[in-house]
Amino acid sequence: RKSGAEVAHACGASRLTEQRRRARHPTALKPGSIWTKLASLLFLIYFFLTSLVVGFPVCVCLWILHMFYDNKRRWLLHRWTTTWAYHYNTVNPCIHCTTLAGLHNLAMVHAGKPVIFVANHQSALDIFLLYGINAHFKWVSKSSNFNIPLIGWAMSLNDYVPVTRGRKESVVRMFDHCKRHLAHNNPLVF
């Protein structure tokens, strides 16, 4: 059990860390402030409009192209989806600094070898950040995500792998789908 002094010191250290972060990013919005809420609302509007007007329509055009070229990997479509998703990290005013470390460990992916990534993500932001690894891969995602307008539809066009948790037949279909992707050297992200 921590004493009151230790708890106060820990809270003070937390405030100090927040002060250091703000010193590095002086334009950072304070969590919970009216400006943060306004910025989040504007970002959501931007997210929806860019997905509707640019993101998804380009996905459809590239999917049509992939009907005649590279239908098994859909590399160009995934490349567009990566650009579309990762750019939100640069325009979101609530995300100030992200660093991708360890990219040198992706040599097998860039060599075209089948690889399986298992990511224990903590938030939806992690999904957008993972697109920053600049590598070709296919997502394994819960089936309900494929029903999200625009985003889920783009996942289907990319031939990402749906799975319904707790349903044995869905898990079997997911493994069959994953085997096909691995046979075509498509890395997978669980």
Side-chain angles (χ1 to χ4, degrees):
R1 231 177 120 93
K2 292 185 177 183
S3 69
E6 290 173 318
V7 171
H9 176 70
C11 291
S14 176
R15 279 194 297 272
L16 185 60
T17 303
E18 177 66 17
Q19 289 170 350
R20 286 183 184 149
R21 187 183 69 78
R22 288 201 175 278
R24 283 194 312 263
H25 306 288
T27 60
L29 299 172
K30 184 178 178 181
S33 73
I34 188 71
W35 297 112
T36 302
K37 292 176 183 174
L38 179 62
S40 295
L41 177 64
L42 291 174
F43 175 75
L44 287 174
I45 292 169
Y46 172 79
F47 179 84
F48 176 75
L49 290 177
T50 55
S51 296
L52 180 67
V53 176
V54 179
F56 186 69
V58 172
C59 278
V60 171
C61 293
L62 292 173
W63 178 76
I64 292 169
L65 174 69
H66 278 300
M67 290 173 61
F68 306 102
Y69 165 77
D70 191 28
N71 192 32
K72 303 296 183 200
R73 288 180 48 90
R74 300 181 192 179
W75 184 88
L76 192 59
L77 179 57
H78 178 77
R79 189 75 195 128
W80 167 251
T81 305
T82 298
T83 303
W84 172 26
Y86 193 71
H87 102 276
Y88 291 118
N89 296 313
T90 59
V91 299
N92 188 339
C94 298
I95 303 171
H96 302 288
C97 180
T98 56
T99 304
L100 297 170
L103 294 177
H104 61 280
N105 295 321
L106 298 175
M108 286 183 62
V109 175
H110 294 297
K113 307 259 188 217
V115 178
I116 298 175
F117 296 100
V118 179
N120 184 17
H121 65 87
Q122 301 296 313
S123 71
L125 178 62
D126 296 348
I127 295 167
F128 290 106
L129 291 175
L130 193 54
Y131 277 114
I133 66 172
N134 196 24
H136 181 77
F137 59 86
K138 301 289 185 180
W139 286 104
V140 176
S141 179
K142 61 183 180 178
S143 300
S144 60
N145 289 339
F146 288 78
N147 298 326
I148 299 171
L150 304 174
I151 305 301
W153 303 338
M155 291 173 67
S156 294
L157 295 178
N158 273 284
D159 196 25
Y160 294 162
V161 183
V163 62
T164 304
R165 295 177 186 166
R167 295 190 53 205
K168 183 179 177 182
E169 63 277 359
S170 176
V171 174
V172 170
R173 278 195 311 273
M174 181 264 307
F175 277 119
D176 288 341
H177 199 160
C178 288
K179 285 180 195 175
R180 287 194 306 273
H181 280 314
L182 291 172
H184 293 104
N185 293 328
N186 288 317
L188 296 167
V189 177
F190 280 81

